[in-house]
Amino acid sequence: MTGRTFAEKALARAAGVPDARAGDTLDVTPDLVFSHDNSAAIRRIFEQTGAPRILHPERVAIMLDHAVPAPTTRHAQNHAEIREWVREQAVAHFFEAGRGICHQVISEEGLVLPGETVLGADSHSTHAGWLGAFGAGVGRTEMAALWATGEIWLRVPEAIQITVTGTPPPTVTAKDISLRILGELGADGGLYTSIEFAGNTIITLPLDERATIPNMMAEAGAKNAYLPPDQVVFDYVQARQTRVFSPIYPDPDAEYAQRYEFEVSGLEPQIALPHQPDNVVPISDVAGEVVHQAFLGTCTNGRITDLRAAAEVLHGQHVQCRLIVIPASAQILQQAVQEGLISILLEAGAMIGTPGCGPCMGNHMGIPAPNEATISSANRNYWGRMGTPSAPVYLGNPYVVAASAVTGRITDPRELLA
Amino acid sequence: MTTHHRCWVYGDNVNTDMIFPGRHTYTLSVPEDIAAHALEDLDTTFAASVRPGDVIVAGWNWGCGSSREQAVTALKYAGIDVIIAASFGRIYFRNCINQGVLPIVCPELHTLVNTGDRLALDRRAGTITAQEQIFAIPPLSPTVQAILDAGGLLSLLQHRFKGDSYP
Ligand code: SF4
């Protein structure tokens, strides 16, 4: 018998069956399901199902994060409907506007643990793989079905193994590793697959930086992505956990549809050019391009390590273009205040936004004018993504975003830190 | 039974923002309004000229990107109930099934037909005929087929909570 991949083991566990193979269709009972500002729309679908109430409100999390505080009356009404629903259904885990971005909040709250299965009504639910969990995105009707019945069909995906080795140079981060991989795999290179990481690099990265990698594998079409949890992960979750868990590791002889290897010791900062996250070049190919706005934040790069990186670049500098900084959660914002990072950013001319998604998907708080270019730490730079078609978005790591804000041009951070 | 359809043909990696822009996701909820913005950033002629029964024929990775279901419902409300692509974004594929829109994986078709061309679909025989070539429609798993047969996940749930055994 050949070994099992992480996905095969995790979904067998979630379906309560002894074994599963890629290609099997299983009825899976996730440990947690979550949704955000889309919860009012999901509620309207749920109400049509005829289900009496949410079957397992203790396994449901809802957070307001996509447009907070509400930018318009319609957004406010949407939030109001969600709050009413949460009260009515006694949803166990509700997080108000300002608490943070869904993927970050479930991690901070100990609602996702190694080996568990978490489904979110959000395409970046692959994020949960940073703690060694199976995280996948579902649509709204599926979330309504999950509320109603607690279970959903999932096809056990084929898996790809990506081995990352070497030590990235200073100012080269998990973002650059992710972009490099996306550039190689392409936007459908991981379609329908479980992307399972191996190699000695990931465990050397700061814990919160690691989250960027499974988050961004959504851009390769992955169903889920997985980093093998180590002691650093266990220490993080043990401080927050409310349930017992047992981590899952793929067998050494697991069957992978494909294997890739990346050596990152000589990697430069990477940039995704408009309008595709897999349209990736080394920064030297694009340095000097004018940007009108820089955005540091999102579930991809709004954590403390990212804010520290920006502060390192911005210390004693002043920005030449608008710099919007939005921490991914209230806890991160608080820590950044305590560490003095927010002062450094403000002195450099940054503006600080309420924890949440901000302008990432073009709702508010930093929509560019037509033809204005943005350098962003987000995961996605589609045409029109930030709310204005014709406003190009470049993706880069937090050092690059900060350095580009200083010069108003795409800038290699090593020039400023040298 | 064979049905005939007019094609709208698009390329590779058309993401959900192209199919239904993110700026509308929390502001529009009426089907006609949602349909009116379908594909507006990719093809300004689509929403005005699409007719019920038309099909989309696309390249690789149609519907990659966000999980927004409106990227399926916008097309459904515009009258599309079959989408043929070389491959689909995975959440998009699931959203199609759940909305009762048939997603057909056919790697070759988008290179053969142009917008305005017609194709013939035989759902029972599982074939597509276009430009005098015949393509097999890959079968779906029984769980997935049951959702489509019910007209989507919502109808399946409605039967379940009414106590009907479906069908
Ligand atoms: S920060 Fe952006 S990518 Fe992340 S959940 Fe929010 S909108 Fe989605």
Side-chain angles (χ1 to χ4, degrees), chain A residues 15-351:
Chain A
V17 296
D19 192 22
R21 299 307 318 252
D24 293 353
T25 301
L26 302 176
D27 284 324
V28 167
T29 305
D31 298 276
L32 183 84
V33 301
F34 67 95
S35 52
H36 41 68
D37 296 37
N38 54 14
S39 304
I42 298 167
R43 170 191 177 169
R44 286 191 284 275
I45 301 168
F46 180 91
E47 286 174 339
Q48 295 170 51
T49 64
R53 49 184 306 112
I54 294 183
L55 188 64
H56 293 298
E58 74 285 1
R59 290 188 210 150
V60 175
I62 292 180
M63 48 291 276
L64 301 179
D65 61 2
H66 269 52
V68 293
T72 67
T73 309
R74 294 197 76 144
H75 287 89
Q77 194 176 358
N78 180 57
H79 291 168
E81 276 176 48
I82 295 168
R83 291 189 189 97
E84 181 192 65
W85 178 243
V86 162
R87 271 196 304 276
E88 203 178 295
Q89 297 289 321
V91 169
H93 310 286
F94 174 64
F95 303 99
E96 259 299 346
R99 173 65 186 83
I101 304 168
C102 51
H103 310 293
Q104 178 65 24
V105 172
I106 59 169
S107 303
E108 288 178 357
E109 296 283 340
L111 292 172
V112 49
L113 300 171
E116 292 191 342
T117 290
V118 177
L119 300 179
D122 188 276
S123 57
H124 292 101
S125 303
T126 53
H127 187 103
W130 81 295
L131 298 175
F134 184 99
V138 296
R140 292 177 179 183
T141 306
E142 292 184 298
M143 186 52 66
L146 280 160
W147 286 355
T149 68
E151 56 176 39
I152 194 88
W153 66 275
L154 284 182
R155 185 178 166 281
V156 181
E158 278 77 29
I160 291 177
Q161 186 182 54
I162 297 185
T163 304
V164 185
T165 54
T167 308
T171 80
V172 174
T173 71
K175 179 60 157 283
D176 305 293
I177 296 173
S178 308
L179 287 171
R180 172 81 184 81
I181 292 171
L182 282 175
E184 191 74 28
L185 264 64
D188 60 356
L191 198 58
Y192 309 126
T193 65
S194 172
I195 301 186
E196 305 189 1
F197 282 86
N200 60 15
T201 301
I202 285 148
I203 49 171
T204 66
L205 299 172
L207 179 63
D208 68 341
E209 192 179 312
R210 297 181 195 175
T212 307
I213 296 173
N215 177 288
M216 288 212 72
M217 290 305 111
E219 306 309 326
K223 179 171 207 148
N224 71 290
Y226 163 83
L227 309 184
D230 60 357
Q231 192 55 45
V232 185
V233 168
F234 300 141
D235 292 344
Y236 177 86
V237 297
Q238 264 148 13
R240 302 147 206 270
Q241 95 199 61
T242 50
R243 307 183 285 263
V244 288
F245 67 89
S246 52
I248 294 175
Y249 298 93
D251 292 326
D253 58 343
E255 257 179 65
Y256 287 102
Q258 251 166 321
R259 289 174 202 264
Y260 295 87
E261 281 177 32
F262 290 88
E263 155 59 53
V264 296
S265 300
L267 196 64
E268 307 187 29
Q270 305 283 302
I271 301 287
L273 304 176
H275 305 279
Q276 278 277 127
D278 63 338
N279 192 6
V280 175
V281 296
I283 194 165
S284 45
D285 284 18
V286 60
E289 288 291 320
V290 171
V291 290
H292 305 86
Q293 170 170 288
F295 171 40
L296 178 67
T298 79
C299 55
T300 315
N301 279 115
R303 279 171 288 278
I304 198 71
T305 300
D306 305 319
L307 299 179
R308 285 180 191 145
E312 188 185 333
V313 174
L314 288 161
H315 193 93
Q317 301 276 8
H318 205 275
V319 297
Q320 300 278 331
C321 75
R322 309 187 295 273
L323 170 60
I324 302 160
V325 178
I326 304 186
S329 79
Q331 289 184 4
I332 294 165
L333 173 55
Q334 196 165 23
Q335 191 178 348
V337 169
Q338 280 159 6
E339 292 186 15
L341 305 177
I342 299 296
S343 294
I344 295 171
L345 298 176
L346 287 170
E347 275 159 27
M351 50 192 135

Side-chain angles (χ1 to χ4, degrees), chain A residues 36 48-49 51 66 74 121-123 137 139-142 145 149 152-154 187-188 191-192 223 380 382, chain B residues 13 15 17 26-27 60-61 65-67 69-70 88 90 94-95 98-99 144 147 154 157-158 160-161:
Chain A
H36 41 68
Q48 295 170 51
T49 64
H66 269 52
R74 294 197 76 144
D122 188 276
S123 57
R140 292 177 179 183
T141 306
E142 292 184 298
T149 68
I152 194 88
W153 66 275
L154 284 182
D188 60 356
L191 198 58
Y192 309 126
K223 179 171 207 148
R380 204 167 262 174
Y382 296 155
Chain B
N13 294 317
N15 61 65
D17 280 74
Y26 298 114
T27 54
W60 299 94
N61 209 17
S66 114
S67 64
E69 221 160 37
Q70 295 103 317
F88 290 84
R90 69 159 280 276
R94 296 180 68 92
N95 285 340
N98 294 327
Q99 292 298 329
V144 171
I147 298 173
L154 179 58
L157 289 168
Q158 285 167 340
R160 176 162 166 180
F161 286 102

